[in-house]
Amino acid sequence: MNKSIGQRIREKREENNLTQNQVSEKLYITQQTVARWENDKHTPPIKAVQDLAKLFNVDTSYFFGEDRIIVHQFNFFAFIGSLILNCLFFWIIAVVLVSIQLAFWGTALACTVAPIVLIWQVAIGTVTFSISKFIASLIMTLVAVIIIPILWKITKYMCQILRTYYRYNINSIVYEVTPRVDK
């Protein structure tokens, strides 16, 4: 009896001692999606199969077996819709988000060097030293040190969202059809 794609995914996942949640985190999808694949309620898109093959260190054909045929379909309307949406909205949102993110990073990094800048200004004689300025610069540095890990997580999350968005667009434009093979 030939194994289904879901059975093969579960088999490789268990061989690698991974949970569904660990697989979902590595592929940037939900745990429920992995469960649906393994229970053969949904067939994973080809990009997900490629990612699974890379994760489990197998060839992509492993998941399809010899009796599976993949037919690629091009969705013209999804292509046009994706172009319009990306040109009108995505770039505007991306530019705003990237600008805000860069402003936050620049401010945080500037705050981390505030005491050094103050000492340098005192050394070259442009500012007179006062304890209140030095304490303020130390507080700025402390705030920056607290905020930088939060900014890092936000940046990683934004990159994850952009990767997922990109994969979704590609998967909606070129999708796979697996015809049933009746024996």
Side-chain angles (χ1 to χ4, degrees):
M1 181 174 134
N2 288 333
K3 295 179 189 173
S4 68
I5 292 175
Q7 291 168 334
R8 291 173 192 266
I9 293 170
R10 174 176 283 144
E11 182 180 279
K12 283 296 174 187
R13 177 181 61 79
E14 289 172 351
E15 279 179 23
N16 287 285
N17 295 321
L18 295 171
T19 64
Q20 289 180 345
N21 196 37
Q22 289 170 322
V23 171
S24 69
E25 287 175 359
K26 292 179 187 290
L27 299 181
Y28 303 110
I29 56 174
T30 63
Q31 180 271 327
Q32 292 83 1
T33 301
V34 176
R36 285 187 204 111
W37 293 344
E38 289 185 0
N39 293 324
D40 292 316
K41 293 189 180 188
H42 294 280
T43 303
I46 193 67
K47 181 65 181 148
V49 173
Q50 291 169 340
D51 292 344
L52 285 165
K54 200 179 295 179
L55 176 66
F56 298 139
N57 199 24
V58 295
D59 192 58
T60 53
S61 63
Y62 166 80
F63 294 106
F64 298 107
E66 294 179 0
D67 61 343
R68 293 288 185 150
I69 300 169
I70 299 296
V71 179
H72 296 277
Q73 298 287 329
F74 178 77
N75 187 340
F76 178 74
F77 294 110
F79 176 71
I80 296 299
S82 180
L83 279 177
I84 291 170
L85 181 70
N86 287 336
C87 289
L88 294 179
F89 299 111
F90 179 73
W91 288 111
I92 294 169
I93 291 169
V95 166
V96 169
L97 287 176
V98 168
S99 299
I100 291 171
Q101 193 75 8
L102 287 174
F104 280 132
W105 273 107
T107 304
L109 294 175
C111 287
T112 58
V113 296
I116 297 168
V117 171
L118 180 64
I119 292 169
W120 176 70
Q121 288 177 336
V122 168
I124 64 170
T126 57
V127 174
T128 59
F129 182 80
S130 75
I131 194 71
S132 61
K133 288 179 187 177
F134 188 68
I135 290 173
S137 67
L138 288 176
I139 291 171
M140 289 171 59
T141 301
L142 180 65
V143 170
V145 167
I146 293 170
I147 289 177
I148 285 177
I150 297 168
L151 280 176
W152 178 249
K153 286 191 180 221
I154 291 171
T155 303
K156 281 178 52 178
Y157 184 68
M158 283 177 51
C159 290
Q160 180 181 346
I161 289 172
L162 291 174
R163 275 194 300 267
T164 304
Y165 176 80
Y166 168 75
R167 287 176 55 170
Y168 173 77
N169 274 331
I170 297 301
N171 290 337
S172 67
I173 294 169
V174 178
Y175 61 97
E176 295 80 32
V177 178
T178 308
R180 293 197 182 271
V181 178
D182 297 324
K183 291 187 178 183

